Coordinates of all heavy atoms in Angstrom, one line a residue:
I171 N 9.7 -3.4 14.9 CA 9.5 -4.8 14.3 C 9.7 -5.9 15.3 O 9.1 -6.9 15.5 CB 10.4 -4.9 13.0 CG1 9.8 -4.0 11.9 CG2 10.6 -6.4 12.6 CD1 10.6 -3.9 10.6
Y172 N 10.8 -5.7 16.1 CA 11.2 -6.7 17.1 C 9.9 -6.8 18.1 O 9.5 -7.9 18.3 CB 12.5 -6.2 17.9 CG 13.0 -7.3 18.8 CD1 13.7 -8.2 18.5 CD2 12.6 -7.2 20.2 CE1 14.3 -9.1 19.2 CE2 13.1 -8.2 21.1 CZ 13.9 -9.1 20.7 OH 14.5 -10.1 21.6
A173 N 9.4 -5.7 18.6 CA 8.2 -5.8 19.5 C 7.1 -6.6 18.8 O 6.4 -7.3 19.4 CB 7.8 -4.4 19.8
T174 N 7.0 -6.3 17.6 CA 5.7 -7.0 16.8 C 5.9 -8.4 16.7 O 5.1 -9.2 17.0 CB 5.7 -6.4 15.3 OG1 5.7 -4.9 15.4 CG2 4.6 -7.0 14.6
L175 N 7.1 -8.9 16.4 CA 7.5 -10.3 16.3 C 7.3 -10.9 17.8 O 7.0 -12.0 17.7 CB 8.9 -10.4 15.8 CG 9.2 -10.1 14.3 CD1 10.6 -10.3 13.9 CD2 8.3 -11.2 13.5
Q176 N 7.7 -10.2 18.8 CA 7.5 -10.7 20.1 C 6.1 -11.3 20.4 O 5.8 -12.2 21.2 CB 8.0 -9.9 21.1 CG 9.4 -9.5 21.1 CD 10.3 -10.8 21.6 OE1 10.2 -11.4 22.5 NE2 11.2 -11.2 20.8
N177 N 5.1 -10.5 19.8 CA 3.7 -10.6 20.3 C 3.0 -11.3 19.3 O 1.7 -11.4 19.3 CB 3.1 -9.3 20.5 CG 3.8 -8.8 21.9 OD1 3.9 -9.4 22.9 ND2 4.1 -7.4 21.8
L178 N 3.7 -11.9 18.2 CA 2.9 -12.4 17.0 C 2.3 -13.7 17.3 O 2.8 -14.5 18.1 CB 3.9 -12.6 15.9 CG 3.3 -12.6 14.6 CD1 2.5 -11.3 14.1 CD2 4.3 -12.9 13.5
D179 N 1.0 -13.9 16.9 CA 0.2 -15.1 17.0 C 1.2 -16.3 16.5 O 1.9 -16.2 15.7 CB -0.8 -15.2 16.0 CG -2.3 -14.7 16.7 OD1 -2.2 -14.4 17.9 OD2 -3.2 -14.4 15.9
S180 N 0.9 -17.4 17.3 CA 1.9 -18.4 17.0 C 1.6 -19.1 15.6 O 2.4 -19.7 15.1 CB 1.9 -19.5 18.1 OG 0.7 -19.9 18.3
N181 N 0.2 -19.0 15.3 CA 0.0 -19.6 13.9 C -0.7 -18.8 13.0 O -1.8 -18.7 12.8 CB -0.9 -20.9 14.2 CG -2.2 -20.5 14.9 OD1 -2.2 -19.4 15.5 ND2 -3.1 -21.3 15.0
I182 N 0.2 -17.9 12.4 CA -0.2 -17.0 11.3 C -0.3 -17.8 10.0 O 0.3 -18.8 9.9 CB 0.7 -15.8 11.1 CG1 2.1 -16.2 10.7 CG2 0.8 -14.9 12.4 CD1 3.0 -15.0 10.3
P183 N -1.3 -17.4 9.2 CA -1.6 -18.2 8.1 C -0.4 -18.4 7.2 O 0.3 -17.5 6.9 CB -2.8 -17.6 7.4 CG -3.1 -16.3 8.3 CD -2.2 -16.2 9.4
D184 N -0.4 -19.6 6.6 CA 0.8 -19.8 5.6 C 0.1 -20.1 4.3 O -0.5 -21.1 4.0 CB 1.7 -20.9 6.1 CG 2.9 -20.9 5.3 OD1 3.0 -20.5 4.1 OD2 4.0 -21.5 5.8
V185 N 0.3 -19.2 3.3 CA -0.4 -19.2 2.1 C 0.2 -20.4 1.2 O -0.5 -21.0 0.4 CB -0.3 -17.9 1.3 CG1 1.1 -17.5 1.0 CG2 -1.3 -17.8 0.2
L186 N 1.5 -20.7 1.2 CA 2.1 -21.7 0.4 C 1.5 -23.1 0.7 O 1.3 -23.5 1.8 CB 3.6 -21.7 0.5 CG 4.3 -20.4 0.1 CD1 5.8 -20.7 0.2 CD2 3.8 -20.1 -1.5
P187 N 1.2 -23.8 -0.5 CA 0.6 -25.2 -0.2 C 1.6 -26.1 0.6 O 2.8 -26.0 0.3 CB 0.4 -25.7 -1.6 CG 0.5 -24.5 -2.5 CD 1.2 -23.4 -1.8
P188 N 1.0 -26.8 1.6 CA 2.0 -27.5 2.5 C 2.9 -28.5 1.7 O 4.1 -28.7 2.0 CB 1.1 -28.3 3.4 CG -0.2 -27.6 3.3 CD -0.3 -26.8 2.0
A189 N 2.3 -29.1 0.6 CA 3.2 -30.1 -0.1 C 4.4 -29.3 -0.8 O 5.4 -29.9 -0.8 CB 2.3 -30.7 -1.2
L190 N 4.1 -28.1 -1.2 CA 5.2 -27.4 -1.9 C 6.3 -27.0 -0.8 O 7.5 -27.0 -1.1 CB 4.5 -26.1 -2.5 CG 5.3 -25.3 -3.6 CD1 5.8 -26.3 -4.6 CD2 4.5 -24.1 -4.2
L191 N 5.8 -26.6 0.3 CA 6.7 -26.2 1.4 C 7.7 -27.3 1.7 O 9.0 -27.2 1.9 CB 6.0 -25.8 2.7 CG 5.5 -24.5 2.9 CD1 5.0 -24.4 4.3 CD2 6.7 -23.6 2.7
Q192 N 7.2 -28.6 1.7 CA 7.9 -29.7 2.1 C 8.9 -30.1 1.0 O 10.0 -30.3 1.3 CB 6.9 -30.9 2.3 CG 7.3 -31.9 3.4 CD 6.1 -32.8 3.5 OE1 5.3 -33.0 2.9 NE2 6.3 -33.5 4.8
Q193 N 8.3 -29.9 -0.3 CA 9.2 -30.4 -1.3 C 10.3 -29.4 -1.5 O 11.5 -29.8 -1.8 CB 8.2 -30.2 -2.7 CG 8.9 -30.5 -3.9 CD 8.0 -29.9 -5.0 OE1 6.8 -30.0 -5.0 NE2 8.7 -29.4 -6.1
L194 N 10.2 -28.1 -1.2 CA 11.2 -27.2 -1.3 C 12.0 -26.9 -0.1 O 13.0 -26.2 0.0 CB 10.7 -25.8 -1.8 CG 9.9 -25.9 -3.2 CD1 9.4 -24.6 -3.5 CD2 11.0 -26.1 -4.4
H195 N 11.7 -27.6 1.0 CA 12.4 -27.5 2.4 C 12.3 -26.0 2.8 O 13.4 -25.5 3.3 CB 13.8 -28.0 2.2 CG 13.9 -29.3 1.8 ND1 13.4 -30.5 2.4 CD2 14.3 -29.9 0.6 CE1 13.8 -31.6 1.8 NE2 14.2 -31.3 0.6

Side-chain angles (χ1 to χ4, degrees):
I171 288 176
Y172 190 81
T174 306
L175 287 170
Q176 290 298 304
N177 295 312
L178 200 62
D179 268 350
S180 57
N181 54 350
I182 63 170
D184 193 333
V185 66
L186 291 183
L190 197 55
L191 273 188
Q192 216 170 15
Q193 179 198 323
L194 299 172
H195 305 289

